[in-house]
């Protein structure tokens, strides 16, 4: 094993040789042997090996393997130095291998080392994006669970930071192609991350691109299969897929397949639906309770009044109102006479509580303008007032004889459209009895927000609600079926 002095002497030989450096193969071999020495020798080898790597193509494999030994050294400072220098080995046909190695190194638990790996991957990404993607996707498809997880997260967070000259059309096409392979067998969380990755690609911002994404989501949702309302995983998958698909829909990217599936498969089975989220129900009547029974003394027989969850009711009542437009005779049919009676009792009881809360909100916001409305508490109240006003408009429609479906509302979670100076302001009056005129062009579809019900007094139980990314989609190849993915021990880099 060479000493520190021998390493410096052979480094000097190579440095002084200038254009004839490739003729000193023996000197470079001495430096390679430095990885077998002590701490000082290894640190020097970690710096010297990559410096002269390009001059000795016949020793490329030996040099890369020597550097990999240093990347796995017990001394963290040696590992960090070796990782930092890895991009210098990313030349020609060696680049995919270096990308593969760096991807495996993402499994490190050392934060400084992890950052070095990320920076090294970004560095070679700018040299050859397609080659780097080859290494990343190789590990995503075949690597250890922890490596796969971190490689996917790397793509979901770092791709958007790369300049346009790196993410050219051919690179984005490769990302789409490889992502489709991965999507054949993913967990719920992985699916969401890949939709985030693909939705950010410039080439998929077009109508045809968005349509491709909708088709990918529809495939994951298994819309060709019969819906099983008693299977929480089946329900969870449909909820997650629908949530990913909704922001993609537009005038030219249709939601027909999803709406048809919900109408034909889901709605008829609502009463037997098993929700994957504890305490969540998507039946309107569950959020519009019947009035509590009164005891003999005139007081409520129950211990407490039902909690009215206005955020959910806005969503569900709006959906019912929209479907009612397609089948206006649903509630008035003779077969549904009892159903209409029950529904109106629920509407009336809910409307009473609604009117009380609207008055409270208006009183709380009375006289407040400017900065006063920007506090977190008042922001919640402003949204709450919009929600309750929307519900009020829809309930008034349904109280008509026969029920009417003519009113239009601007849903509380939709972004407010800015009006240019001099441009005629679009009507915001949600109490209008006729459909409004076509509004000016709104924000780009990318600016749409996925609805996240706000928590507060008006919807006390919504703060804990979220779509948990659980389970896996599409099969169970390689242990990647529904459920959690196990962590295996770290293996040898190759």
């Amino acid at each position: 094993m060479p000493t520190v002095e021998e390493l410096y002497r052979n480094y000097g030989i190579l440095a002084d040789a200038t254009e004839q450096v490739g003729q000193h193969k023996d000197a470079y071999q001495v430096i390679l042997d430095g990885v077998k020495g002590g701490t000082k020798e290894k640190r020097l080898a970690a710096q010297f090996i990559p410096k002269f790597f390009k001059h000795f193509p016949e020793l490329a494999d030996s040099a890369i393997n020597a550097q990999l030994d240093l990347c796995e050294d017990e001394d963290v400072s040696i590992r960090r130095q070796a990782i930092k220098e890895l991009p210098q080995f990313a030349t020609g046909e060696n680049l995919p291998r270096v990308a593969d190695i760096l991807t495996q190194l993402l499994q490190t638990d050392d934060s400084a080392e992890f950052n070095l790996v990320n920076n090294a991957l970004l560095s070679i990404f700018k040299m050859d994006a397609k080659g780097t993607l080859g290494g990343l996707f190789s590990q995503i498809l075949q690597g250890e669970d922890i490596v796969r997880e971190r490689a996917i997260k790397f793509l979901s967070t770092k791709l958007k930071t790369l300049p346009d000259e790196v993410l050219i059309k051919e690179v984005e096409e490769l990302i789409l192609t490889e992502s489709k392979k991965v999507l054949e067998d993913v967990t719920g969380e992985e699916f969401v991350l890949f939709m985030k990755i693909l939705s950010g690609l410039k080439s998929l911002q077009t109508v045809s691109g968005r349509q491709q994404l909708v088709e990918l989501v529809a495939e994951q949702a298994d819309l060709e299969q019969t819906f099983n309302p008693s299977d929480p995983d089946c329900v969870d998958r449909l909820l997650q897929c629908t949530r990913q698909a909704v922001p993609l829909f537009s005038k030219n990217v249709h939601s027909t397949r999803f709406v048809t599936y919900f109408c034909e498969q889901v709605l008829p089975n609502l009463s037997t639906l098993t929700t994957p989220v504890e305490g969540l129900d998507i039946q309107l009547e569950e959020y519009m309770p019947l009035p509590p029974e009164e005891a003999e003394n005139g007081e409520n027989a129950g211990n407490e009044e039902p909690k009215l969850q206005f955020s959910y009711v806005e969503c569900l009542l709006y959906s019912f109102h929209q479907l009612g437009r397609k089948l206006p005779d649903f509630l008035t049919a003779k077969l549904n006479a009892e159903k209409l009676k029950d529904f109106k009792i629920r509407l009336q009881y809910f409307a009473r509580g609604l009117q009380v809360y609207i008055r409270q909100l208006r009183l709380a916001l009375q006289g407040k303008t400017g900065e006063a409305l920007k506090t977190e508490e008042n922001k919640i109240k402003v949204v709450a007032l919009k929600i309750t006003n929307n519900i009020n408009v829809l309930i008034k429609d349904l109280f008509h004889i026969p029920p009417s479906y003519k009113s239009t509302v601007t849903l509380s979670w939709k972004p407010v459209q800015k009006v240019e100076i001099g441009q005629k302001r679009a009507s915001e009056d949600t109490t209008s009895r006729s459909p409004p005129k076509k509004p000016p062009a709104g924000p780009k579809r990318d600016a749409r927000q996925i609805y996240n019900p706000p928590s507060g007094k008006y919807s006390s139980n919504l703060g804990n609600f979220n779509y948990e990314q659980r389970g896996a989609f599409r099969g169970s190849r390689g242990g990647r079926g529904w459920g959690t993915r196990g962590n295996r021990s770290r293996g040898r880099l190759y």
Side-chain angles (χ1 to χ4, degrees):
M1 293 181 290
T3 63
V4 170
E5 291 75 16
E6 289 174 320
L7 287 173
Y8 272 119
R9 184 170 63 252
N10 284 279
Y11 174 84
I13 292 172
L14 295 174
D16 294 339
T18 59
E19 295 182 0
Q20 285 75 42
V21 63
Q23 299 176 11
H24 298 276
K25 183 178 176 180
D26 292 342
Y28 191 60
Q29 185 62 56
V30 171
I31 291 175
L32 294 180
D33 292 338
V35 301
K36 302 172 185 177
T39 300
K40 292 181 180 179
E41 289 80 8
K42 289 179 179 178
R43 286 178 181 170
L44 289 175
Q47 300 174 59
F48 295 169
I49 291 173
K51 186 173 182 64
F52 300 104
F53 170 75
K54 63 182 180 181
H55 300 290
F56 299 95
E58 68 277 16
L59 293 176
D61 285 341
S62 298
I64 292 175
N65 288 332
Q67 196 77 3
L68 293 188
D69 288 338
L70 298 175
C71 289
E72 294 187 299
D73 196 84
E74 294 180 357
D75 189 319
V76 66
S77 64
I78 293 174
R79 292 203 308 270
R80 290 176 184 175
Q81 182 64 46
I83 292 170
K84 182 179 179 181
E85 304 295 344
L86 270 179
Q88 295 193 53
F89 295 87
T91 58
E93 61 184 17
N94 295 316
L95 189 141
R97 183 184 176 189
V98 173
D100 190 284
I101 293 164
L102 284 168
T103 305
Q104 293 180 63
L105 289 169
L106 286 170
Q107 64 188 287
T108 180
D109 294 323
D110 181 89
S111 58
E113 194 174 327
F114 182 77
N115 289 334
L116 284 172
V117 174
N118 273 267
N119 291 336
L121 274 170
L122 286 173
S123 176
I124 66 171
F125 222 119
K126 294 172 184 177
M127 298 178 195
D128 182 354
K130 295 175 75 172
T132 306
L133 286 169
L136 280 161
F137 276 103
S138 172
Q139 286 300 317
I140 290 173
L141 289 166
Q142 302 172 20
E144 303 291 334
D145 289 343
I146 184 65
V147 174
R148 173 185 170 103
E149 175 188 335
R150 293 187 179 180
I152 294 173
K153 287 184 178 178
F154 173 86
L155 288 173
S156 69
T157 57
K158 302 299 183 182
L159 277 182
K160 59 187 177 184
T161 68
L162 295 170
D164 291 344
E165 57 265 27
V166 174
L167 289 179
I168 58 176
K169 183 179 179 181
E170 291 76 12
V171 172
E172 292 195 342
E173 288 175 350
L174 177 61
I175 293 172
L176 177 60
T177 300
E178 294 299 314
S179 296
K180 286 180 178 179
K181 296 177 185 177
V182 181
L183 287 172
E184 292 177 4
D185 187 4
V186 290
T187 65
E189 183 178 4
E190 290 171 347
F191 169 64
V192 172
L193 288 175
F194 268 101
M195 288 306 299
K196 178 182 177 183
I197 292 168
L198 296 176
S199 297
L201 300 180
K202 296 188 298 296
S203 58
L204 295 180
Q205 303 304 311
T206 61
V207 171
S208 60
R210 292 295 185 185
Q211 189 62 54
Q212 282 190 71
L213 291 178
V214 169
E215 290 169 2
L216 278 176
V217 178
E219 185 179 350
Q220 290 294 327
D222 277 340
L223 297 184
E224 302 300 325
Q225 299 298 317
T226 301
F227 180 65
N228 183 359
S230 62
D231 181 0
D233 290 338
C234 180
V235 177
D236 184 39
R237 178 172 56 208
L238 181 60
L239 284 174
Q240 290 189 47
C241 289
T242 303
R243 190 176 184 224
Q244 295 303 312
V246 166
L248 302 171
F249 298 141
S250 67
K251 180 179 180 180
N252 297 312
V253 180
H254 304 301
S255 59
T256 306
R257 287 185 66 187
F258 281 85
V259 173
T260 300
Y261 189 82
F262 268 85
C263 290
E264 294 181 352
Q265 297 278 342
V266 181
L267 295 180
N269 293 300
L270 278 182
S271 60
T272 59
L273 193 67
T274 301
T275 172
V277 182
E278 186 177 355
L280 173 64
D281 203 310
I282 57 173
Q283 297 186 70
L284 178 58
E285 62 183 18
E286 294 299 322
Y287 297 103
M288 300 191 75
L290 289 167
E293 296 181 3
E294 292 187 354
E296 294 181 1
N297 58 6
E299 296 181 355
N300 289 346
N303 294 328
E304 60 180 21
E305 299 243 347
K307 293 181 179 179
L308 305 181
Q309 302 201 42
F310 300 104
S311 293
Y312 284 178
V313 172
E314 181 193 21
C315 299
L316 294 170
L317 195 60
Y318 176 80
S319 299
F320 179 82
H321 191 271
Q322 291 295 301
L323 290 172
R325 289 183 176 181
K326 305 296 182 183
L327 191 63
D329 297 332
F330 172 71
L331 287 175
T332 56
K334 289 184 179 180
L335 291 175
N336 292 328
E338 285 300 315
K339 188 172 293 187
L340 176 60
K341 180 180 177 181
D342 176 86
F343 189 43
K344 286 204 168 183
I345 292 174
R346 293 174 187 271
L347 284 174
Q348 190 173 36
Y349 176 64
F350 194 91
R352 280 166 45 197
L354 184 72
Q355 292 300 324
V356 171
Y357 190 43
I358 288 176
R359 285 196 296 271
Q360 291 175 348
L361 288 170
R362 286 177 175 167
L363 185 62
L365 294 172
Q366 188 175 5
K368 290 184 172 64
T369 58
E371 292 299 321
L373 291 175
K374 293 181 181 179
T375 65
E376 196 62 33
E377 181 181 357
N378 285 333
K379 283 181 180 179
I380 291 175
K381 289 177 180 178
V382 169
V383 175
L385 184 58
K386 188 170 185 179
I387 291 173
T388 49
N389 279 334
N390 284 343
I391 297 173
N392 193 41
V393 171
L394 298 174
I395 287 179
K396 285 181 178 179
D397 246 17
L398 295 172
F399 267 137
H400 277 249
I401 301 175
S404 171
Y405 303 96
K406 294 181 180 179
S407 292
T408 59
V409 298
T410 301
L411 294 169
S412 62
W413 66 88
K414 286 196 171 183
V416 177
Q417 297 181 2
K418 294 182 180 180
V419 180
E420 299 293 336
I421 297 175
Q423 181 181 7
K424 186 176 179 180
R425 183 178 179 84
S427 174
E428 293 287 342
D429 183 8
T430 58
T431 62
S432 171
R433 302 303 303 172
S434 60
K437 296 179 180 180
K438 187 175 180 180
K444 293 182 179 178
R445 181 149 298 274
D446 289 344
R448 287 183 59 180
Q449 301 281 327
I450 296 176
Y451 176 49
N452 185 18
S455 60
K457 179 179 177 183
Y458 61 95
S459 193
S460 58
N461 294 329
L462 295 186
N464 296 325
F465 173 77
N466 61 66
Y467 286 89
E468 296 184 23
Q469 315 303 340
R470 294 188 291 227
F473 296 130
R474 307 189 57 76
S476 57
R477 176 173 54 81
R480 292 176 186 138
W482 287 91
T484 56
R485 299 164 55 87
N487 290 328
R488 297 191 286 273
S489 59
R490 174 172 175 167
R492 175 70 168 88
L493 298 176
Y494 57 89

